[in-house]
Amino acid sequence: MLGKGGKRKFDEHEDGLEGKVLSPSDGPSKVSYTLQRQTIFNISLMKLYNHRPLTEPSLQKTVLINNMLRRIQEELKQEGSLRPVFTPSAQPSDSLSDSYREAPPAFSHPASPPTHPCDLGSTTPLEACLTPASLLEDDDDTFCTSPAVQPAAPTKLSPPALPPEKDSFSSALDEIEELCPTSTSTEAAVAATDSSKGGASESSVPKPEGLQEGRPDDPKLMDSLPGNFEITTSTGFLTDLTLDDILFADIDTSMYDFDPCTSASGTASKMAPVSADDLLKTLAPYSSQPVAPSQPFKMDLTELDHIMEVLVGS
Amino acid sequence: VGGRGGTDIISTVEFNHTGELLATGDKGGRVVIFQREPESKNTPHSQGEYDVYSTFQSHEPEFDYLKSLEIEEKINKIKWLPQQNAAHSLLSTNDKTIKLWKITERDKRPEGYNLKDEEGKLKDLSTVTSLQVPVLKPMDLMVEVSPRRVFANGHTYHINSISVNSDCETYMSADDLRINLWHLAITDRSFNIVDIKPANMEDLTEVITASEFHPHHCNLFVYSSSKGSLRLCDMRAAALCDKHSKLFEEPEDPSNRSFFSEIISSVSDVKFSHSGRYMLTRDYLTVKVWDLNMEARPIETYQVHDYLRSKLCSLYENDCIFDKFECAWNGSDSVIMTGAYNNFFRMFDRNTKRDVTLEASRESSKPRAVLKPRRVCAGGKRRRDDISVDSLDFTKKILHTAWHPAENIIAIAATNNLYIFQDKVSSEMH
């Protein structure tokens, strides 16, 4: 499993990523710490969502994975609360327009699941993207406006508080932007698209199928866990993830270049990009379940399609 | 030294209290019992080897219609009851149901019935002219196994442990969140003695991983958790033993902290020593000996495969980090044993502090072959026969091991093969 081919690559990065005490405040090692955290977060999410067992899944395993996700989530929250608040005057409108320009290419292939440039090898930003719908209801001030992606720095920035005169169409557009948070540079986004097309296509094709097939099973799976344990915790993650995580995705571009964990273990669990569509389809049944009030699925598929058409048309 | 091929993956191994019998359970719900042949004066070198004594189907797969999920027939645990008469009894359990099996021998049969002939057909009464008393004649040994009790519907979650009390009347079964106490003769009810299910399942962060009765004190038992803690409970203190008498927990080593600290601290097995003075626990990377009188930390910690510490991310991704290894004491509590990957298993001598890595493989298990110690090289100087960490086979895992209660005989389950190793030279560790 830890094949010789992957060994060297593995060792290179493993030292930096594993087993050492990396505090988030260290300079250069912060990036690797953050990367590792993101990797583990993604793996954990995949473990929870991709599971379609014939028998009941191990409660111990589920609990341990959930604890892992919670811990990372807590860390992200804490880091978020330490960041300086971003003032509107300093808001970079350039990157905003960049985001707009990037949006059409993102949706030029709405039908092909793998080629989603905003998913830089992780499902997290996409699922985080699903939150603004609910947060729009909960907290208009912060999230109804565009989350301008701050370039370069690995540190995350709180979303800028734009003047709230934007109408609902703009906020809908903003939501779409959030579905497709571009990286710091357009080149990186394009590069990510290309590499995701090439590298992940074969594994990501089965993945969306898997997700869709998983749909009828997943509600059963959810119900089978006592007390809807998995439903409530998983939607809890989705609602709690903030835009910080989307901005956080800036760093993920480099995930395409090396993959310390997945390269060694083969295709079984590639972190294939998953389109927002697939995630929505997978999670749509849950909207009928009685879940916590802040469920993230207010925006239904038809509305999303409509918005996409508008964007593609423009 | 002997080896045995199987058709299914062995999921549990257990010697009985004398060591004469060895039971294995497998993923297909079957139980195979081996019996040690008595030593023969004619062949002094062939010191009691284990042969198949009986095979039976213990559990069948079931379907939970309410949840639309299969209930696996895999045997999670087998525990022998102390022998009280000519018959042997054992408990076997899958995820949901515990069964009590009685194993009896039949080596005689009655012959000379008046009303039936040899094949069992009724005789024509007109041919019967005299009465005879049926006589018991010897026959080929037949081992009969019959289910005596079925303890069902006691558990919502998956049973991970069963343990027979020293009172020989009760036993406990533990699942992820609850522990039940049963009377061996009563199947329609059990008594819940531990319940860690939170009122709101969203708050669930810890599960029960293993549980065992104290070997001598019938009121004491221990259970381990996924957070690495052990709780010793006294059934005399309260009806519901949620409140522990003692909590054994080692504080986290800050220099070893990682994302996986919690997962690798999860205790996969707990075993009281034969003396009852100590407990042995296994977590992902270590085995630890705890003194019942000291809750703050274990008295001994042994590294099983510390070279995996830098591979935890990969092992998390391929699920190996969730593998549940068991551990075992030898009869005198001086040596402890546990399994690892690549069909390696490890032994630690508590007195000399020496340890050895051995491999359970076909090459090493020729009769009367001596096991060669193996070494895993994690970088640095590499000797000729060393295995490098990256060439370890993580699909070959030794999760289940057992040690004869008195002698230096060990049973090692390597996937679907059972290896039985005997130390014939001496009882000292080399």
Side-chain angles (χ1 to χ4, degrees):
Chain A
M1 279 188 190
L2 297 174
K4 285 198 169 76
K7 178 189 169 185
R8 262 179 238 111
K9 217 182 185 188
F10 197 74
D11 283 350
E12 252 169 53
H13 303 288
E14 276 301 280
D15 287 349
L17 290 184
E18 301 231 41
K20 293 198 178 161
V21 179
L22 293 170
S23 68
S25 57
D26 297 359
S29 59
K30 191 210 182 251
V31 179
S32 53
Y33 177 87
T34 325
L35 271 162
Q36 187 193 17
R37 184 171 59 191
Q38 185 68 44
T39 310
I40 294 167
F41 194 90
N42 299 338
I43 295 171
S44 306
L45 280 174
M46 274 177 46
K47 280 187 188 301
L48 283 182
Y49 283 110
N50 284 357
H51 203 221
R52 280 179 294 121
L54 296 164
T55 58
E56 218 164 335
S58 158
L59 187 62
Q60 180 196 354
K61 199 165 138 186
T62 310
V63 166
L64 289 171
I65 297 171
N66 270 314
N67 289 352
M68 176 79 85
L69 286 166
R70 275 192 190 130
R71 216 175 303 127
I72 295 177
Q73 202 186 349
E74 275 307 311
E75 258 187 42
L76 293 172
K77 264 192 191 154
Q78 279 175 12
E79 286 179 8
S81 62
L82 293 170
R83 266 178 290 111
V85 176
F86 206 72
T87 60
S89 56
Q91 193 252 318
S93 52
D94 290 338
S95 60
L96 185 61
S97 50
D98 282 345
S99 307
Y100 272 106
R101 272 200 291 277
E102 279 310 303
F107 291 100
S108 58
H109 308 278
S112 60
T115 63
H116 208 290
C118 76
D119 187 19
L120 307 169
S122 72
T123 57
T124 316
L126 287 168
E127 290 170 1
C129 303
L130 295 171
T131 62
S134 67
L135 292 167
L136 274 173
E137 291 190 5
D138 296 343
D139 191 356
D140 278 352
D141 291 338
T142 324
F143 295 107
C144 69
T145 54
S146 162
V149 175
Q150 185 60 20
T155 57
K156 298 172 293 238
L157 302 169
S158 50
L162 283 177
E165 72 266 10
K166 291 198 171 190
D167 58 359
S168 61
F169 178 69
S170 305
S171 28
L173 277 175
D174 296 337
E175 289 167 24
I176 296 304
E177 258 179 56
E178 287 153 17
L179 280 167
C180 175
T182 56
S183 61
T184 57
S185 65
T186 57
E187 300 88 45
V190 173
T193 316
D194 292 339
S195 58
S196 74
K197 270 183 203 164
S201 52
E202 83 263 13
S203 61
S204 53
V205 166
K207 192 175 190 296
E209 283 172 9
L211 280 173
Q212 283 157 23
E213 278 160 17
R215 219 188 324 149
D217 296 337
D218 284 351
K220 273 184 292 183
L221 188 68
M222 298 301 130
D223 294 339
S224 75
L225 288 168
N228 282 345
F229 175 60
E230 191 156 27
I231 283 185
T232 45
T233 43
S234 60
T235 53
F237 285 125
L238 297 173
T239 52
D240 287 350
L241 287 170
T242 64
L243 286 163
D244 307 334
D245 306 304
I246 304 161
L247 304 173
F248 187 62
D250 293 350
I251 303 163
D252 284 342
T253 328
S254 50
M255 291 277 290
Y256 273 102
D257 300 330
F258 80 95
D259 226 349
C261 298
T262 54
S263 63
S265 58
T267 61
S269 45
K270 276 218 179 83
M271 288 176 283
V274 176
S275 73
D277 281 348
D278 293 323
L279 273 169
L280 276 179
K281 281 177 192 156
T282 316
L283 299 168
Y286 305 162
S287 57
S288 60
Q289 306 274 353
V291 291
S294 54
Q295 51 178 323
F297 309 110
K298 300 294 183 188
M299 182 174 22
D300 62 14
L301 285 169
T302 52
E303 192 183 345
L304 179 59
D305 283 341
H306 171 69
I307 292 165
M308 278 166 59
E309 280 169 25
V310 168
L311 272 173
V312 170
S314 69
Chain B
V1 169
R4 176 172 166 76
T7 51
D8 228 340
I9 297 169
I10 299 171
S11 49
T12 188
V13 187
E14 189 82 6
F15 281 100
N16 76 337
H17 296 275
T18 60
E20 182 208 353
L21 297 175
L22 173 67
T24 63
D26 68 20
K27 207 156 162 269
R30 278 181 306 268
V31 172
V32 181
I33 303 177
F34 299 84
Q35 185 187 42
R36 193 176 185 197
E37 296 305 317
E39 280 182 54
S40 165
K41 287 190 186 133
N42 298 332
T43 52
H45 294 296
S46 162
Q47 182 183 350
E49 298 203 347
Y50 285 82
D51 295 325
V52 178
Y53 179 66
S54 172
T55 304
F56 62 95
Q57 187 75 30
S58 170
H59 286 71
E60 298 277 0
E62 285 173 52
F63 197 77
D64 182 339
Y65 291 96
L66 204 60
K67 298 176 186 173
S68 286
L69 290 171
E70 257 191 36
I71 298 172
E72 268 192 293
E73 68 275 31
K74 171 168 73 94
I75 308 295
N76 292 338
K77 283 280 160 21
I78 290 175
K79 284 283 145 76
W80 290 93
L81 266 56
Q83 192 176 5
Q84 286 169 334
N85 48 40
H88 292 99
S89 299
L90 60 79
L91 288 169
S92 66
T93 186
N94 68 347
D95 283 338
K96 296 285 184 180
T97 305
I98 307 135
K99 294 186 184 179
L100 174 65
W101 295 90
K102 196 160 179 184
I103 301 131
T104 48
E105 286 184 6
R106 191 194 290 269
D107 60 356
K108 298 188 245 303
R109 85 161 166 237
E111 282 179 17
Y113 281 103
N114 290 294
L115 297 175
K116 293 185 291 185
D117 64 16
E118 292 306 308
E119 282 95 53
K121 290 200 302 231
L122 285 174
K123 281 185 191 171
D124 181 359
L125 287 178
S126 59
T127 64
V128 177
T129 53
S130 62
L131 282 178
Q132 57 181 348
V133 178
V135 182
L136 286 175
K137 294 260 176 76
M139 59 177 265
D140 288 340
L141 178 66
M142 208 164 77
V143 179
E144 296 174 338
V145 182
S146 61
R148 291 303 246 238
R149 306 265 191 275
V150 177
F151 303 89
N153 304 317
H155 289 275
T156 309
Y157 307 101
H158 290 179
I159 298 173
N160 53 53
S161 314
I162 48 174
S163 178
V164 183
N165 202 342
S166 51
D167 66 8
C168 300
E169 283 186 357
T170 58
Y171 76 96
M172 73 153 130
S173 56
D175 67 31
D176 295 310
L177 298 179
R178 297 193 179 102
I179 301 181
N180 292 336
L181 184 71
W182 304 80
H183 193 286
L184 282 164
I186 300 169
T187 59
D188 60 355
R189 57 183 179 277
S190 69
F191 194 64
N192 177 242
I193 54 177
V194 174
D195 189 340
I196 66 167
K197 182 179 178 199
N200 190 352
M201 279 297 276
E202 285 180 53
D203 301 332
L204 180 63
T205 58
E206 191 173 10
V207 299
I208 298 169
T209 52
S211 180
E212 197 181 46
F213 267 120
H214 191 279
H216 309 309
H217 302 298
C218 56
N219 56 302
L220 288 180
F221 65 94
V222 69
Y223 71 91
S224 60
S225 84
S226 55
K227 288 196 172 169
S229 65
L230 300 166
R231 284 173 174 80
L232 188 72
C233 301
D234 188 337
M235 293 198 292
R236 294 173 307 191
L240 189 59
C241 299
D242 280 357
K243 206 159 175 297
H244 51 263
S245 297
K246 291 196 182 184
L247 172 63
F248 299 80
E249 212 167 21
E250 185 175 23
E252 196 182 354
D253 178 6
S255 66
N256 264 338
R257 228 168 67 80
S258 77
F259 286 107
F260 307 101
S261 292
E262 188 199 5
I263 298 182
I264 62 170
S265 75
S266 176
V267 174
S268 52
D269 193 18
V270 62
K271 293 263 170 48
F272 279 104
S273 63
H274 291 90
S275 63
R277 167 94 191 266
Y278 304 104
M279 294 183 296
L280 180 65
T281 59
R282 175 71 153 97
D283 51 64
Y284 191 61
L285 296 178
T286 70
V287 279
K288 294 176 177 163
V289 178
W290 301 77
D291 187 322
L292 283 185
N293 298 318
M294 189 164 86
E295 300 166 66
R297 74 190 71 82
I299 57 169
E300 294 156 32
T301 301
Y302 300 94
Q303 301 295 331
V304 180
H305 37 205
D306 199 56
Y307 45 78
L308 295 183
R309 200 176 284 274
S310 58
K311 315 282 182 196
L312 292 178
C313 192
S314 267
L315 295 164
Y316 178 63
E317 199 193 6
N318 64 19
D319 278 354
C320 280
I321 209 174
F322 299 107
D323 285 337
K324 294 191 196 165
F325 293 94
E326 291 171 9
C327 52
W329 297 90
N330 73 338
S332 59
D333 299 334
S334 60
V335 182
I336 54 187
M337 167 173 71
T338 188
Y341 292 108
N342 210 70
N343 276 357
F344 288 166
F345 58 99
R346 303 264 282 136
M347 289 189 190
F348 303 91
D349 189 319
R350 297 178 59 214
N351 299 325
T352 66
K353 299 301 180 200
R354 282 161 64 181
D355 64 88
V356 69
T357 304
L358 301 168
E359 183 178 0
S361 70
R362 290 200 181 277
E363 297 81 47
S364 67
S365 64
K366 296 187 180 56
R368 280 167 275 285
V370 175
L371 282 177
K372 193 180 69 175
R374 309 305 308 268
R375 209 175 90 109
V376 178
C377 153
K381 273 189 163 186
R382 197 194 145 153
R383 289 188 227 152
R384 195 166 56 95
D385 286 331
D386 284 2
I387 312 279
S388 86
V389 181
D390 297 312
S391 52
L392 289 174
D393 188 344
F394 287 87
T395 62
K396 292 188 184 164
K397 44 193 103 177
I398 292 183
L399 303 173
H400 313 288
T401 60
W403 205 309
H404 190 285
E407 298 183 39
N408 271 357
I409 303 171
I410 56 177
I412 310 282
T415 317
N416 54 358
N417 289 318
L418 179 72
Y419 293 86
I420 301 173
F421 298 112
Q422 302 189 23
D423 185 6
K424 296 179 186 185
V425 179
S426 70
S427 53
E428 294 290 325
M429 275 288 300
H430 56 281

